Amino acid sequence: MGNERRITISSRDMDRIQSLLDTTVSGRNREALENLEAELDAAIVVKPEEIPSTVVTMGSRVRFRDEETGQTREVTLVYPRDADPQSNKVSILAPIGAALIGLSVGERIDWPMPNGRRRRLVLEAILYQPESNGSRA
């Protein structure tokens, strides 16, 4: 499938996402959630202050490009309660959010979309990352 990568994630994000997944029983986006769970199982977990500034964490604002369409998009990765498509705040439980967590700048990933298609995304930049800006949220 092309997702044989190991993401890096902070222990704080790991704990919060894991408890979120434990309480989520939604049938929507099931494949994306299963992929996210598999990635978390294989993830390299580090202390929040040790996370590289080039890795997407919760609360990060990032720019990625869809290789098929060439479109770029800037989004902030958030927990479901803070998701707001109009403000480009994407839930970790949405297919695109699950694809972005733990990605490093320059990495590509193929990811399933709700319509059964797959998208190939390239992470172009991290515009803001809470950990590298001293946030302990």
Side-chain angles (χ1 to χ4, degrees):
M1 172 166 67
N3 284 351
E4 294 79 24
R5 65 191 184 103
R6 290 192 66 193
I7 64 170
T8 301
I9 191 165
S10 76
S11 54
R12 180 178 53 233
D13 285 354
M14 175 66 107
D15 291 346
R16 289 179 179 176
I17 296 167
Q18 207 62 70
S19 66
L20 191 60
L21 287 172
D22 291 346
T23 59
T24 301
V25 289
S26 165
R28 283 182 59 225
N29 304 331
R30 175 57 37 207
E31 188 180 359
L33 294 182
E34 288 171 2
N35 285 347
L36 177 59
E37 286 177 333
E39 287 201 330
L40 292 177
D41 288 345
I44 300 161
V45 181
V46 300
K47 293 178 186 156
E49 59 272 15
E50 293 173 0
I51 199 101
S53 62
T54 55
V55 172
V56 179
T57 62
M58 292 304 299
S60 291
R61 195 168 88 245
V62 304
R63 184 176 64 238
F64 65 89
R65 180 171 34 88
D66 182 321
E67 288 206 318
E68 184 182 323
T69 65
Q71 274 187 311
T72 60
R73 192 166 160 209
E74 286 182 15
V75 299
T76 301
L77 187 59
V78 298
Y79 292 99
R81 69 178 179 272
D82 299 319
D84 178 8
Q86 275 66 48
S87 301
N88 291 316
K89 292 182 177 177
V90 175
S91 168
I92 180 66
L93 298 184
I96 198 73
L100 289 170
I101 189 74
L103 262 185
S104 295
V105 172
E107 268 192 298
R108 290 172 166 72
I109 184 169
D110 289 320
W111 207 259
M113 300 309 285
N115 60 10
R117 294 186 49 227
R118 300 188 83 73
R119 311 269 301 267
R120 174 161 266 216
L121 309 175
V122 180
L123 183 64
E124 291 190 332
I126 295 178
L127 307 170
Y128 172 82
Q129 184 208 61
E131 290 79 3
S132 63
N133 283 279
S135 173
R136 299 281 167 243

